[in-house]
């Protein structure tokens, strides 16, 4: 579909993450899944765009960071990055 990678930062037990994972897994997008509890650098990256908090899901598409985005927001970011 697109050569743009979606970086999906999540953690176990996060219901919002699970809800976003479903459409992402069916989207055809290239998705890099990163568990912030397993990767201190990933947790720091999330904090850097989420006001110092570890808010997940956080998604990066190119240089665009989105904290707790809808799937529609991710689709729009992928489309924009692919243009």
């Amino acid at each position: 579909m697109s050569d743009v990678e979606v970086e999906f930062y999540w953690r176990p037990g996060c219901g919002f993450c699970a809800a976003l994972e479903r459409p992402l897994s069916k989207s055809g997008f290239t998705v890099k899944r990163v568990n912030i509890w397993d990767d201190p650098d990933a947790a720091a990256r999330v904090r850097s765009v989420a006001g110092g908090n570890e808010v997940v899901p956080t998604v990066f598409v190119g240089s665009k960071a989105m904290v707790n985005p809808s799937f529609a927001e991710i689709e729009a970011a992928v489309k924009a990055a692919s243009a």
Side-chain angles (χ1 to χ4, degrees), residues 54-67:
E54 292 181 2
V55 178
V56 287
T58 292
V59 175
F60 293 86
V61 176
S63 62
K64 183 171 178 66
M66 297 168 279
V67 179

Side-chain angles (χ1 to χ4, degrees), residues 1-79:
M1 171 164 217
S2 169
D3 60 349
V4 175
E5 182 176 69
V6 174
E7 295 178 71
F8 174 61
Y9 289 74
W10 67 284
R11 67 165 174 75
C14 170
F16 295 107
C17 298
L20 188 56
E21 169 69 22
R22 285 189 284 280
L24 274 178
S25 66
K26 296 176 183 175
S27 68
F29 298 152
T30 300
V31 180
K32 176 182 176 186
R33 291 162 177 83
V34 184
N35 179 343
I36 66 166
W37 284 359
D38 288 343
D39 185 337
D41 291 336
R45 187 173 187 206
V46 167
R47 287 192 304 273
S48 78
V49 299
N53 299 305
E54 292 181 2
V55 178
V56 287
T58 292
V59 175
F60 293 86
V61 176
S63 62
K64 183 171 178 66
M66 297 168 279
V67 179
N68 198 17
S70 68
F71 181 70
E73 289 172 302
I74 296 169
E75 278 185 311
V78 168
K79 187 178 221 178

